[in-house]
Amino acid sequence: MLDTLDAAAVRRWCASGLAALKRHQGEIDQLNVYPVPDGDTGTNLVLTLTSAQQALAMDLDTLPDSGPTAHGHALRLMAQGALLGARGNSGVILSQILRGFADQVAGVPAVRGRELAAALRSGTAAAYAAVSRPVEGTVLTVVAAAAAAAEGADSDDLPTVAGVAARAAAEALVRTPEQLPALARAGVVDAGGRGLCVLLDALVEVLTGERTARPAPTPRSARPAATVARETGSDEYAYEVQFLLDARAEAVTGLRRALDALGDSLVVVGDGREPEGTWNVHVHVNDVGAAVEAGVAAGRPYRISVTRFADQQQSPPGPVVAGRAAVVVATGGGIADLFAAEGATVVPGNPSTGELLEAVRSTGAARVVVLPNDPNTEAVASAAAREAHRHGIKVSVVPTRSPVQALAALAVRDADRRFEDDVIAMAEAAGACRYAEVCHASREALTVAGPCRPGDVLALVEGEVHLIGTDLTDTCAAVVDRMLGGGGEMVTLLAGVDAPAGLTDAVRAHVARRWPFVEVHAYPGGQPFYPLLVGIE
């Protein structure tokens, strides 16, 4: 029974937590509410914590001459490793929980019960601060419940407080379907929250020497849904404003309130230095001047960048900045070859923050655009962009959701434009490209297009199931018809690694008959899971 969390216990917690996540990896992956075969929250958490353990393993016994305590140094290594290895939204949020945890206790002489409660509250604040529009019923709710229970215990007994926090997290996890409709329809609990519960149970095991036999919550329903809540910004805001800010923490509290009233997609992440730190500020607004003025009121803003989303007017020509590059995330050999032919640096699918950062730095360019090609990779790309700023590299993330959108974005690049204007043009081209994915259902589900069974063909348009069929070719042709019914002059087809021979030829022939004035381009994409990806421009 340990009465304090020392450096050795931190390392054992990381190792034990990783082992526990590996044991539960498949279970957490299955909590994905989407009925397609690529749910990977468990996998992302395992990869994120693997990076944290590697960071600890590379620096077992070193300690700076001044600064954090031994346990604080270990926790900061763990948090930094998690940040650089973070994969998916769940990994990024976990890295922020660990960062807040480390920042709170880095300088305290000993971590006992009350210090653990304060660390959990700090981790909760960091996690909420990293999300522009926090959604309850997610891992955020679970960590907040753990922190509240730990504070309510009001005890210095470390094992007691850790046990209370872990139990409260498990109870909050059971309630997540009541807070998030997508989970309720699916009859499952939040996958990221389940992963956090596993890590808190691992902490209890390290402190007490006893493994907590806490089974996974039983789903209340067996009806997996085909929709998932997405944390994205609203189209009503036309500008993205980003800047670095030197300011005190109390001033940043007011800044958050001011910016939240101006727009959405608000992210304010600090480096944890006291009393004055450096903060990375990001928000979508219509009133750019008010956003910058809010920064001036809070501290010293610099490296201010403004990107227009909805404005169609071009800026006056500015000086061309040399040293530009594009980094694209790609899954599939054929898709990777297409991007490479466009001069982009290609990173394999589901990358970590560190892998994306290394790809950005390897370009040698001062200005880099990143195309994530997947909603779950956007958070990783944003984290890599923040890290790249610390190395003097300006990175803009164009939030592409599909490789076909990235192809459209790369096609409009123009080195004669200012970098900021080029990014705007790429974002507009990507946004104008509607996309669809065709795959086979991996399990029974109730979708917005009706019920599906394992093996059924699903056609998803912009991430939503629109068609359910039994024949792959017929369903592919039908989804192209549906999309072209809304307009379009060019169709891009990317055949997956498991696509039957002649699939794209059959779809091309169908378009030629039904839509004779539409141009069709077909390529071997080689992507897994999806026999066909479709882009309409």
Side-chain angles (χ1 to χ4, degrees):
M1 190 79 71
L2 297 180
D3 58 359
T4 62
L5 185 69
D6 58 17
V10 170
R11 297 188 181 100
R12 290 200 302 275
W13 176 33
C14 188
S16 178
L18 178 57
L21 282 173
K22 287 180 177 178
R23 289 196 301 271
H24 294 279
Q25 180 176 344
E27 167 211 320
I28 297 173
D29 280 345
Q30 286 300 311
L31 293 176
N32 178 47
V33 299
Y34 225 68
V36 295
D38 58 355
D40 55 4
T41 299
T43 300
N44 286 340
L45 289 173
V46 165
L47 293 172
T48 299
L49 209 62
T50 296
S51 180
Q53 188 182 45
Q54 289 171 345
L56 284 170
M58 292 174 63
D59 197 354
L60 281 175
D61 301 312
T62 62
L63 182 66
D65 294 334
S66 62
T69 58
H71 60 263
H73 181 59
L75 283 166
R76 284 185 171 173
L77 286 173
M78 184 177 172
Q80 183 68 8
L83 174 64
L84 293 178
R87 299 183 190 243
N89 293 327
S90 55
V92 171
I93 292 174
L94 174 61
S95 75
Q96 292 302 296
I97 292 172
L98 292 173
R99 184 191 68 78
F101 194 110
D103 289 348
Q104 178 65 34
V105 299
V108 302
V111 180
R112 296 187 174 88
R114 287 184 173 84
E115 289 77 20
L116 175 63
L120 286 170
R121 176 58 61 195
S122 177
T124 300
Y128 271 90
V131 179
S132 59
R133 284 284 188 263
V135 175
E136 297 304 326
T138 66
V139 62
L140 298 176
T141 304
V142 176
V143 70
E151 291 170 333
D154 193 24
S155 170
D156 276 330
D157 186 271
L158 182 60
T160 295
V161 173
V164 167
R167 286 193 294 275
E171 292 167 359
L173 179 67
V174 173
R175 294 192 297 270
T176 55
E178 301 170 12
Q179 299 166 299
L180 197 56
L183 297 177
R185 292 192 298 268
V188 297
V189 296
D190 179 69
R194 173 58 175 154
L196 180 64
C197 287
V198 169
L199 287 179
L200 290 176
D201 285 341
L203 177 60
V204 173
E205 180 182 347
V206 167
L207 296 177
T208 64
E210 299 177 359
R211 178 174 295 183
T212 302
R214 203 187 312 276
T218 303
R220 297 178 306 161
S221 166
R223 299 189 328 173
T227 57
V228 60
R230 301 178 187 273
E231 297 174 11
T232 56
S234 168
D235 291 338
E236 66 180 287
Y237 298 108
Y239 297 91
E240 176 193 55
V241 178
Q242 291 180 277
F243 53 85
L244 296 181
L245 178 73
D246 290 340
R248 301 177 71 90
E250 55 267 27
V252 173
T253 300
L255 173 69
R256 284 196 179 96
R257 287 196 296 266
L259 293 181
D260 189 58
L262 290 173
D264 69 3
S265 293
L266 176 62
V267 177
V268 182
V269 178
D271 61 6
R273 288 185 297 166
E274 295 289 348
E276 181 175 292
T278 298
W279 306 79
N280 192 309
V281 181
H282 169 282
V283 66
H284 292 179
V285 295
N286 286 325
D287 191 339
V288 174
V292 175
E293 288 171 6
V296 172
R300 186 178 71 88
Y302 56 101
R303 290 190 189 175
I304 300 170
S305 105
V306 178
T307 300
R308 293 170 296 170
F309 292 132
D311 190 353
Q312 299 295 317
Q313 296 181 351
Q314 293 290 333
S315 300
V320 176
V321 180
R324 300 188 199 178
V327 172
V328 187
V329 179
T331 301
I335 294 175
D337 290 343
L338 290 172
F339 290 139
E342 293 289 338
T345 297
V346 179
V347 180
N350 197 27
S352 68
T353 306
E355 288 169 343
L356 266 182
L357 177 60
E358 180 59 31
V360 167
R361 297 181 66 185
S362 72
T363 66
R367 285 176 164 82
V368 180
V369 62
V370 176
L371 306 170
N373 290 339
D374 181 271
N376 205 36
T377 307
E378 286 182 32
V380 175
S382 296
R386 290 192 294 269
E387 288 295 305
H389 277 293
R390 296 171 57 183
H391 298 277
I393 306 171
K394 178 176 177 57
V395 176
S396 291
V397 179
V398 175
T400 51
R401 300 298 183 93
S402 171
V404 294
Q405 289 188 317
L407 288 172
L410 290 172
V412 301
R413 280 196 302 171
D414 185 348
D416 291 332
R417 280 193 292 246
R418 291 173 58 243
F419 175 73
E420 291 77 7
D421 292 334
D422 209 28
V423 171
I424 293 169
M426 294 175 72
E428 289 173 346
C433 178
R434 289 167 292 140
Y435 67 94
E437 305 150 319
V438 182
C439 66
H440 291 92
S442 61
R443 60 185 180 182
E444 184 176 349
L446 180 61
T447 80
V448 295
C452 69
R453 291 186 292 270
D456 282 350
V457 181
L458 304 181
L460 297 87
V461 179
E462 309 276 320
E464 196 77 73
V465 176
H466 276 227
L467 295 171
I468 302 172
T470 56
D471 182 85
L472 177 61
T473 301
D474 290 347
T475 306
C476 289
V479 74
V480 171
D481 283 344
R482 176 164 294 194
M483 296 177 74
L484 285 174
E489 300 175 350
M490 186 174 75
V491 176
T492 300
L493 306 174
L494 298 177
V497 66
D498 296 324
L503 176 62
T504 55
D505 289 339
V507 176
R508 185 199 295 269
H510 173 83
V511 173
R513 289 192 301 269
R514 290 286 306 274
W515 311 90
F517 300 107
V518 172
E519 184 180 353
V520 180
H521 297 278
Y523 308 96
Q527 70 274 3
F529 305 132
Y530 300 95
L532 191 69
L533 299 180
V534 181
I536 304 289
E537 300 175 62

